[in-house]
């Protein structure tokens, strides 16, 4: 990723990132005993900083159309195009974060949920599944302490504050829930079979306290599958949790 990332000097930063970088790691897990499958993705995004054209002077080398050859014209506008792409991606990302915050408020007030404009930029399209839904997201904001960058620093910190207000709720998809229930049913069936095979009635003599003294009586108890029954109760409890019964 670092080798492919473009950097160049501007009046704001000697090593300015000229594009956003996104690395996506897909993880596919499968349980060897139950064959249950879990798929997840890890997004690592290094966002370029917002630029004010008057400070970065990314347009200082641009030439008027027709004054130079077209090849040179477009080459001189490279920094300008990079700045526009960086700022437009950050602008749409801010719109998405604002919409996610508004959705939480709308849900609490019973209003229709606002639209989240993930499709407005390539950056937010890539990060859509990492921003909302059941994802767990960590945002690190880096900013300059120089006085001349105070406005950009404040804006970056306010953006981080808006990100911190987004609430994501983990949810289990229908497919995943079905797979988990099927795996649990197999384990429950196996545990029940073990209980039936090992459990037996046993006669025991017990002593119980009475008003007139201790009394000794014969009683029958189930023995032989105590561990399997504990496991069975745990599996049944887990199944009721997944179904929302408890």
């Amino acid at each position: 990723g670092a080798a492919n990332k473009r950097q160049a000097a501007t009046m704001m930063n000697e090593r300015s990132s000229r594009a956003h970088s996104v690395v996506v790691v897909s993880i596919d897990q499968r349980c060897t005993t139950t064959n249950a499958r879990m798929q997840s993705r890890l997004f690592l995004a290094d966002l370029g900083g917002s630029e004010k054209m008057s400070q970065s002077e990314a347009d200082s080398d641009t030439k008027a159309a027709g004054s130079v050859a077209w090849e040179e014209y477009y080459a001189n506008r490279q920094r300008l195009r990079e700045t526009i792409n960086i700022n437009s991606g950050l602008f749409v990302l801010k719109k998405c974060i604002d919409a996610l915050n508004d959705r939480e408020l709308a849900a609490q007030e019973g209003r229709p949920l606002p639209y989240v404009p993930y499709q407005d930029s390539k950056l937010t399209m890539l990060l859509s599944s990492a921003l909302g839904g059941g994802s767990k997201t960590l945002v690190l904001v880096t900013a300059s302490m120089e006085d001349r960058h105070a406005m950009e620093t404040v804006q970056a910190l306010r953006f981080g504050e808006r990100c911190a207000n987004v609430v994501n709720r983990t949810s289990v998809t229908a497919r995943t829930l079905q797979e988990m229930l099927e795996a649990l049913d197999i384990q429950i069936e196996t545990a029940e079979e073990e209980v039936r095979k090992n459990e037996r009635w046993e006669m025991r003599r017990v002593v119980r306290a009475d008003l007139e003294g201790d009394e000794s009586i014969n009683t029958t108890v189930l023995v032989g599958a105590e561990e399997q029954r504990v496991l069975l109760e745990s599996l049944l409890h887990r199944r009721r949790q997944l179904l929302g019964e408890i």
Side-chain angles (χ1 to χ4, degrees), residues 17-231:
S17 299
R18 306 315 300 160
H20 306 300
S21 298
V22 179
V23 178
V24 183
V25 181
S26 297
I27 304 172
D28 193 342
Q29 304 173 80
R30 187 181 296 276
C31 180
T32 56
T33 56
T34 63
N35 208 35
R37 184 180 181 186
M38 180 70 70
Q39 291 179 307
S40 55
R41 285 189 294 175
L42 173 65
F43 291 80
L44 302 173
D46 183 8
L47 304 181
S50 62
E51 291 186 6
K52 183 178 289 187
M53 202 76 69
S54 60
Q55 293 185 8
S56 68
E57 298 184 9
D59 59 343
S60 59
D61 293 333
T62 57
K63 305 294 182 181
S67 62
V68 294
W70 286 112
E71 183 178 353
E72 182 180 353
Y73 170 79
Y74 286 112
N76 291 336
R77 293 176 61 87
Q78 180 179 354
R79 296 287 173 264
L80 176 60
R81 291 197 305 270
E82 292 169 346
T83 299
I84 293 173
N85 291 335
I86 290 173
N87 288 344
S88 61
L90 293 175
F91 176 70
V92 176
L93 178 60
K94 179 182 180 299
K95 287 173 59 180
C96 291
I97 295 300
D98 290 341
L100 289 171
N101 278 293
D102 292 341
R103 284 173 70 90
E104 179 66 19
L105 182 60
Q108 295 175 1
E109 297 177 352
R111 295 185 286 106
L113 300 182
Y115 170 71
V116 182
Y118 291 125
Q119 309 300 321
D120 287 2
S121 78
K122 292 181 179 179
L123 174 66
T124 49
M125 287 176 63
L126 285 171
L127 297 179
S128 58
S129 58
L131 295 175
S135 62
K136 185 174 183 179
T137 306
L138 176 65
V139 177
L140 299 179
V141 177
T142 59
S144 172
M145 297 182 64
E146 298 183 24
D147 292 342
R148 62 194 181 99
H149 297 153
M151 182 175 296
E152 287 76 13
T153 297
V154 171
Q155 290 176 347
L157 294 176
R158 285 177 177 171
F159 172 74
E161 186 178 20
R162 292 290 289 170
C163 291
N165 291 333
V166 176
V167 178
N168 288 343
R169 290 183 172 82
T170 303
S171 60
V172 179
T173 63
R175 178 182 174 184
T176 303
L177 178 60
Q178 181 64 31
E179 291 178 349
M180 294 173 68
L181 288 173
E182 290 175 355
L184 270 178
D185 288 340
I186 294 174
Q187 296 180 60
I188 290 172
E189 184 178 352
T190 302
E192 289 176 337
E193 181 63 28
E194 289 295 318
V195 169
R196 286 193 294 267
K197 182 170 64 176
N198 298 316
E199 201 169 49
R200 66 186 184 279
W201 289 101
E202 186 177 277
M203 181 71 71
R204 289 186 180 180
R205 192 169 186 81
V206 297
V207 178
R208 66 182 184 183
D210 200 351
L211 293 176
E212 298 178 358
D214 293 341
E215 180 183 12
S216 179
I217 61 172
N218 293 327
T219 185
T220 55
V221 294
L222 284 169
V223 297
E226 289 81 359
E227 293 183 2
Q228 291 90 340
R229 186 162 288 279
V230 171
L231 174 61

